[in-house]
Amino acid sequence: MTSTTSDPLWPRSFWSEVPDSDRAALREVLAELLGRGVLLGDEGGGRELYLLARDHYRTHVEDYLAPLALELIVDEERSLLQARPRTESCLLLGRFDKDETLVLLALWRLYDDEISTGSQEAVIVTVDQLWAALKVYFDKISTPEKSQIEACLARIRRHRLIRTLRPEGMTQAGEMQIEILPSLARVIPFDDIAAWQQRVELYQPVKDSTEDAEVPA
């Protein structure tokens, strides 16, 4: 049943068939996708939002995002929704700074290496492993120190590209665990390792300027 009342928070010219009971939840779905780029549907209240959008309003959300040049990705295996920018047209792109971008690139490679083995498990690494990978991938330039990595991870986590976990009994910052979500691989998609390496080379000497990674703002 659709609502016949006037709702100042709801569009008058479309989506009039969406019942009052679903409108607040649908607003939350859009807020997560526009504000963070990803809605995680495998835990807490996000599960109900994910199922509502996936099962009842997928077309609605796709149509809403389309004029913003955002593509809706429905990942049923990992229970997440992602608003992926069509970079040639999207104007809603946020930028990561150099250190954050280096961390992103290292996380992408760690994720790809694990997935390419055929593993279906969640990809989890520690801060120590990430820091060691940064030293290998970017051996000719200064990379973030361990003390700086957590700040980089906070920004990346805000965009729902990773989760972090402090295991019980953790005594060192390097023991913190990072779950790399598939949304990260999609937000900076590379066709293969060669394409990833080409981006990495932008950060090696001789060049002074760097190209920042972009994600939904």
Side-chain angles (χ1 to χ4, degrees):
M1 179 182 297
T2 59
S3 173
T4 58
T5 61
S6 176
D7 183 350
L9 300 179
W10 203 252
R12 290 173 292 180
S13 58
F14 62 94
W15 286 9
S16 59
E17 78 283 2
V18 176
D20 287 342
S21 57
D22 288 345
R23 293 184 178 185
L26 195 50
R27 276 195 289 267
E28 286 189 61
V29 170
L30 295 175
E32 283 290 299
L33 292 175
L34 294 177
R36 300 182 183 274
V38 176
L39 186 153
L40 298 177
D42 60 348
E43 60 182 11
R47 183 64 180 169
E48 293 184 8
L49 296 177
Y50 166 79
L51 292 174
L52 180 74
R54 186 197 69 178
D55 297 341
H56 302 287
Y57 297 108
R58 179 169 179 167
T59 300
H60 291 69
V61 176
E62 287 175 338
D63 288 349
Y64 184 93
L65 296 176
L68 301 173
L70 295 170
E71 174 188 12
L72 179 66
I73 303 295
V74 180
D75 187 334
E76 298 198 21
E77 183 176 341
R78 299 300 298 274
S79 297
L80 64 81
L81 304 178
Q82 182 170 7
R84 180 169 65 181
R86 302 180 188 275
T87 54
E88 70 281 2
S89 303
C90 186
L91 302 179
L92 298 177
L93 293 175
R95 289 185 177 273
F96 289 115
D97 64 23
K98 177 188 171 184
D99 283 350
E100 293 163 348
T101 302
L102 295 180
V103 170
L104 268 174
L105 288 168
L107 289 169
W108 186 97
R109 180 62 184 270
L110 290 167
Y111 179 86
D112 187 73
D113 286 350
E114 185 67 21
I115 294 300
S116 64
T117 66
S119 173
Q120 300 300 314
E121 301 296 325
V123 179
I124 298 175
V125 299
T126 65
V127 168
D128 279 343
Q129 290 172 315
L130 171 59
W131 185 75
L134 282 164
K135 295 300 183 183
V136 172
Y137 301 150
F138 302 98
D139 59 323
K140 298 182 178 64
I141 63 174
S142 175
T143 56
E145 294 300 326
K146 286 185 186 179
S147 59
Q148 300 171 300
I149 286 179
E150 191 167 353
C152 294
L153 294 176
R155 174 95 190 277
I156 297 170
R157 186 174 59 239
R158 178 185 179 277
H159 287 280
R160 304 287 197 255
L161 304 180
I162 60 169
R163 286 192 182 104
T164 55
L165 173 67
R166 297 177 182 273
E168 186 177 353
M170 172 178 156
T171 59
Q172 302 292 330
E175 297 172 358
M176 186 170 73
Q177 296 177 341
I178 307 161
E179 179 184 358
I180 309 172
L181 299 173
S183 50
L184 186 146
R186 295 192 192 99
V187 84
I188 47 172
F190 297 113
D191 293 333
D192 50 34
I193 293 298
W196 176 87
Q197 186 62 46
Q198 186 176 23
R199 174 62 69 91
V200 167
E201 288 173 0
L202 293 173
Y203 295 89
Q204 305 286 18
V206 170
K207 298 188 177 187
D208 294 326
S209 61
T210 60
E211 180 181 346
D212 293 336
E214 295 179 323
V215 298

